[in-house]
Amino acid sequence: ERRWKIALETATPAAMTGSFHHGSTWQGTSWIMLTDVVGTSVLTFAGVARQLGWVLTISFIIGLAPVAVYTALLMSRTSNILAKAPGARPATMGEAARITLGGDRAAGMVYFAVYGFAFLGNASYILILGQCMQGMFFQTQLCLPIATAVACVLCIPISVSVRHLSESVVLCFINLFLILAVLAVVMGKMYFVGRPSHVNTFAFAKDLSFWGVFGAASNVVYSYAGHWLYFELMVEMQKPEDFPRVFLINVPLQVCLYLLVACWGYHFAGDKAEGYFLANLPDSDAYRAASTLLFLHVLIAFLVKNVVLVRAVHKILAPSRVDVSLRESGGRRAQAEFATCAVLLLCAYWAVANAIPFFSDFLALVGSLLSGPISFVLPAVFLMGALQREAGSSEGTLELSQHMEGQPDAAMPRMSSFSSQCRDAGRRLTRFDFVACAIITGFILLSMVFGTTNTIRDIGLRIGKYGAPFDCQARVHPEKLAMLELLF
């Protein structure tokens, strides 16, 4: 356990480059965060609006933004508290767990969750790359397993050769404008085609259910879930204490973009909106162009993030050779091992992508199972642990000094039970923090239970409608899709 935990820790971008975003200002960090968070999740918002209606869609997009900011501020507070001890500012969530929760076991569990989240995120990239291939060649009725396999083959050359990340701010900017170009093409085509007469929109969706609310909300949760990277961004800033200022740029742009896509898509597609934004377009040159731009966007995002996971696997299997370059002794073997890990991971991505071949449901499942706990619950846990550690350190120092001075009533500090530590940590939160964290945790738990259940039910319905996992899942012509809607 210790071995793979250390492997994951040393596979982070900061460990791989020494300076992924070294010395960045808060403005630069804000744009880097924006390019990481604003990605393929925005493509689900038209489908979210169809499931929820106007009121709840707008409420969740606006309401979850301050929740995301608040939990990020909890992480900033945790980082600043821990930084009071030399060298204790955490660079990853796993490091924060080890420091605040008491050891390698907690760190290992957090690393497993975070990198599991990253693995599923990469699998969703393969799924969307396959759907982009179907869009680029829509006249051929390309089957999804074949399309995703071709996408994996196209990813192999760079996946097996790129072993280190370098400064990527320019690449991040390019990728941000690629996704904006995709949205512009889709929204422009929808505008020129116009709103069909049979499309209806509702303040609250007609088939809205308690379960469906949390299922759709999981997609919005996923769209705000960039917290797994925040500790690393903080430690690489010129002034980590300026981290909260990044949201002065991020939040207005993020909320406005999300609202624009959701409202635009719902207005033109209404109760016929698809969970995959591009699927709302008819077969056309615009659909092909949007698919091509999205393919490039996802390909860049996948290749950058995949290096972290490949290095982590390589570090577990061959820790002594993970940093051996090709020109050094043993370099060929190290390169072959890295390439093998990359290909095996691509195969795993392919299997997961085709096991859940419905994009919006895939992201909703990841959002309900992992995004919420990682991004909205763990920050509160880390802060309570940091406050408890800070108080325990000062109290322990006082008790130890009293004992050393020979005071009769002083005793050596003793470790309290875990339950009492939790109670003490909870008491150290302000009343506002305690109430806010309780409400957020309750919402995330409801989302995990009801959102996951609803998403699994929706996957079952889609299997009956479009076919089972690993079936062809070719793009359905919009006219045939309308007929399927009547049947199901």
Side-chain angles (χ1 to χ4, degrees):
E1 180 180 333
R2 172 79 175 174
R3 181 182 179 187
W4 72 262
K5 186 272 301 175
I6 294 176
L8 294 179
E9 184 174 294
T10 54
T12 61
M16 291 158 42
T17 64
S19 179
F20 186 47
H21 307 305
H22 180 66
S24 61
T25 64
W26 68 267
Q27 295 95 335
T29 300
S30 179
W31 286 108
I32 292 167
M33 284 172 53
L34 195 65
T35 58
D36 178 73
V37 174
V38 178
T40 54
S41 61
V42 74
L43 302 175
T44 67
F45 282 152
V48 169
R50 174 184 57 79
Q51 293 177 275
L52 297 177
W54 289 110
V55 175
L56 290 179
T57 298
I58 294 173
S59 298
F60 275 125
I61 290 176
I62 295 177
L64 284 175
V67 173
V69 173
Y70 172 71
T71 49
L73 296 181
L74 296 183
M75 296 177 67
S76 179
R77 289 166 60 186
T78 299
S79 179
N80 291 334
I81 290 172
L82 297 179
K84 294 177 182 178
R89 187 184 293 275
T92 64
M93 277 194 159
E95 287 183 16
R98 186 190 313 107
I99 297 170
T100 62
L101 303 181
D104 292 337
R105 183 177 298 275
M109 293 174 63
V110 170
Y111 274 122
F112 182 81
V114 170
Y115 281 86
F117 171 72
F119 172 85
L120 293 175
N122 280 355
S124 75
Y125 285 153
I126 294 298
L127 174 58
I128 201 71
L129 285 172
Q131 292 182 328
C132 289
M133 293 286 295
Q134 290 178 310
M136 288 188 287
F137 304 100
F138 60 83
Q139 294 174 325
T140 64
Q141 290 293 294
L142 187 64
C143 289
L144 185 62
I146 296 176
T148 50
V150 172
C152 288
V153 171
L154 293 176
C155 290
I156 287 177
I158 300 180
S159 295
V160 303
S161 58
V162 177
R163 296 175 60 187
H164 298 271
L165 293 175
S166 58
E167 192 68 31
S168 58
V169 175
V170 175
L171 197 61
C172 288
F173 270 107
I174 293 174
N175 229 21
L176 175 61
F177 286 111
L178 281 173
I179 191 64
L180 292 178
V182 171
L183 297 176
V185 170
V186 177
M187 293 164 65
K189 182 64 176 180
M190 295 176 79
Y191 175 79
F192 285 113
V193 170
R195 177 177 174 174
S197 59
H198 63 279
V199 163
N200 298 298
T201 60
F202 306 93
F204 296 92
K206 291 183 66 175
D207 56 350
L208 187 65
S209 67
F210 180 78
W211 303 73
V213 168
F214 287 99
S218 298
N219 284 107
V220 186
V221 169
Y222 185 91
S223 69
Y224 285 113
H227 297 59
W228 68 280
L229 192 61
Y230 288 174
F231 279 130
E232 184 169 358
L233 292 178
M234 286 181 227
V235 81
E236 294 298 326
M237 290 177 65
Q238 293 176 1
K239 297 180 179 180
E241 60 274 12
D242 286 344
F243 179 75
R245 301 175 69 181
V246 303
F247 298 103
L248 296 174
I249 296 175
N250 273 38
V251 173
L253 292 177
Q254 214 172 338
V255 172
C256 290
L257 181 62
Y258 289 172
L259 285 175
L260 176 63
V261 174
C263 294
W264 191 285
Y266 191 49
H267 171 75
F268 285 100
D271 54 352
K272 304 298 187 294
E274 287 294 312
Y276 173 49
F277 199 35
L278 275 65
N280 295 294
L281 294 183
D283 293 343
S284 60
D285 290 337
Y287 179 53
R288 180 180 284 112
S291 297
T292 303
L293 291 170
L294 182 59
F295 185 90
L296 294 174
H297 166 81
V298 176
L299 186 65
I300 293 172
F302 170 79
L303 293 175
V304 169
K305 295 180 180 179
N306 188 54
V307 176
V308 178
L309 284 177
V310 177
R311 279 184 59 87
V313 175
H314 191 197
K315 184 76 174 181
I316 294 171
L317 300 177
S320 62
R321 288 185 294 274
V322 70
D323 290 316
V324 177
S325 66
L326 184 61
R327 297 180 179 180
E328 296 176 350
S329 176
R332 291 186 178 181
R333 179 177 178 179
Q335 185 65 47
E337 292 170 345
F338 183 87
T340 301
C341 293
V343 172
L344 290 177
L345 275 177
L346 282 169
C347 293
Y349 299 149
W350 179 89
V352 174
N354 286 279
I356 312 175
F358 313 112
F359 177 65
S360 61
D361 291 323
F362 194 124
L363 293 193
L365 194 61
V366 177
S368 57
L369 284 177
L370 292 174
S371 298
I374 290 173
S375 295
F376 297 142
V377 176
L378 280 181
V381 176
F382 292 153
L383 178 62
M384 289 191 292
L387 291 172
Q388 178 68 11
R389 182 178 185 270
E390 181 183 42
S393 175
S394 59
E395 292 170 2
T397 302
L398 177 61
E399 292 178 4
L400 182 60
S401 63
Q402 290 175 340
H403 181 83
M404 294 295 291
E405 293 171 3
Q407 297 186 21
D409 294 331
M412 285 295 291
R414 291 180 296 177
M415 292 297 294
S416 57
S417 66
F418 178 76
S419 60
S420 64
Q421 289 182 16
C422 291
R423 288 194 297 270
D424 290 343
R427 284 195 291 267
R428 297 185 191 282
L429 292 175
T430 65
R431 180 173 297 180
F432 173 81
D433 286 334
F434 183 84
V435 173
C437 291
I439 293 174
I440 293 170
T441 301
F443 172 79
I444 294 301
L445 291 177
L446 288 174
S447 178
M448 289 179 67
V449 175
F450 296 108
T452 301
T453 303
N454 183 78
T455 302
I456 292 174
R457 182 187 67 84
D458 283 348
I459 291 173
L461 293 175
R462 291 183 187 275
I463 287 174
K465 183 176 178 180
Y466 298 109
F470 300 96
D471 280 355
C472 183
Q473 301 285 343
R475 169 172 164 82
V476 181
H477 191 276
E479 294 181 359
K480 294 182 179 179
L481 186 60
M483 295 176 62
L484 287 173
E485 290 287 351
L486 295 175
L487 293 174
F488 291 90

